[in-house]
Amino acid sequence: NPKGVKAIHLLPNWEAEQLKSYLNLLKREGWQASTIAMYRSSNLRFCKYLQRLGIESFSSLTTTILKDFNLQDKHVTPEGKAAYNCRIRNFLIYLYEQSLIDDPYLYKALPTFSAPRTSIIQTLSKEDVASIWATNPDTLSPKALRDYAMVCIGLTMGFRASDISGLRFENIDWKQRSIKIVQQKTGKVLTMPMPI
């Protein structure tokens, strides 16, 4: 993200050098580029706040500064705030490991939890399901047939959408009439009988 890189260079040197060093560490550890971008964004916001306060060293950080940062830091959702705080906490741990802050527990001043959220889960009605099963697969185009098969797998086998979209022919055991996948969310191997 060129914009993020430029923003780092606008920080005072004492902040910029440590943040670049931390992001380079994440890169060497093999973190995904999107994850590193989230760490950059979160910690840039934190460093800019320190800059506005006139802080001149990470050693000047206090629990009060961290709590005040958390209170003024606005997000659309509580989950967004928790995600940013988690990444800033990890940066603070890194700073402690570099002997740039003295308190090993300073990072605990930023909360990691978010407010619970309830959402209404939409399910198919009996009529919707009946309409799906009433579809004649012989009348469908190849793309529509693929989509129909994906919906049928979801209805009969309970796979997550992300697992269904990742299915390949090698996942299907035609003799045993089963589908074997590695679940994207959990990383666990799952073998399920395949309905006729």
Side-chain angles (χ1 to χ4, degrees):
N1 180 349
K3 183 180 175 186
V5 172
K6 287 179 187 172
I8 289 176
H9 291 300
L10 296 176
L11 296 174
N13 197 45
W14 64 271
E15 284 183 316
E17 289 307 312
Q18 292 308 318
L19 184 52
K20 285 191 285 187
S21 176
Y22 179 60
L23 296 173
N24 285 333
L25 173 65
L26 296 179
K27 189 174 183 179
R28 287 193 309 274
E29 288 178 348
W31 292 78
Q32 295 286 331
S34 59
T35 303
I36 294 172
M38 182 67 168
Y39 272 91
R40 180 186 302 115
S41 173
S42 305
N43 286 294
L44 265 172
R45 186 180 292 200
F46 176 61
C47 287
K48 287 177 183 176
Y49 175 76
L50 299 180
Q51 187 179 11
R52 285 195 306 273
L53 288 183
I55 303 286
E56 296 184 355
S57 165
F58 287 118
S59 62
S60 302
L61 290 178
T62 64
T63 55
T64 303
I65 290 171
L66 295 178
K67 287 176 183 176
D68 289 346
F69 165 76
N70 185 61
L71 288 172
Q72 63 80 44
D73 192 33
K74 304 295 181 209
H75 283 84
V76 175
T77 64
E79 294 86 357
K81 180 170 240 172
Y84 264 55
N85 281 352
C86 179
R87 285 157 180 86
I88 296 165
R89 284 167 58 105
N90 288 339
F91 181 51
L92 291 169
I93 292 168
Y94 168 81
L95 293 173
Y96 170 74
E97 291 169 349
Q98 302 304 307
S99 302
L100 295 170
I101 56 177
D102 295 327
D103 183 354
Y105 304 109
L106 184 64
Y107 70 94
K108 292 189 174 211
L110 287 176
T112 55
F113 56 87
S114 62
R117 182 177 68 172
T118 356
S119 57
I120 298 171
I121 299 172
Q122 291 185 329
T123 58
L124 296 174
S125 67
K126 289 180 182 178
E127 294 79 19
D128 293 333
V129 174
S131 173
I132 291 168
W133 293 129
T135 301
N136 180 356
D138 296 331
T139 64
L140 301 175
S141 69
K143 183 180 181 305
L145 185 58
R146 181 206 63 192
D147 294 347
Y148 179 70
M150 292 172 76
V151 170
C152 291
I153 289 170
L155 284 173
T156 58
M157 301 182 75
F159 287 153
R160 290 182 179 93
S162 58
D163 294 327
I164 294 171
S165 64
L167 278 176
R168 300 291 176 261
F169 280 113
E170 54 265 22
N171 297 113
I172 301 171
D173 185 331
W174 297 103
K175 290 181 182 175
Q176 296 293 320
R177 289 190 179 157
S178 64
I179 296 179
K180 181 177 182 179
I181 61 166
V182 177
Q183 291 181 299
Q184 188 175 3
K185 184 173 181 180
T186 63
K188 293 182 179 177
V189 176
L190 182 65
T191 303
M192 297 286 287
M194 182 171 56
I196 294 171

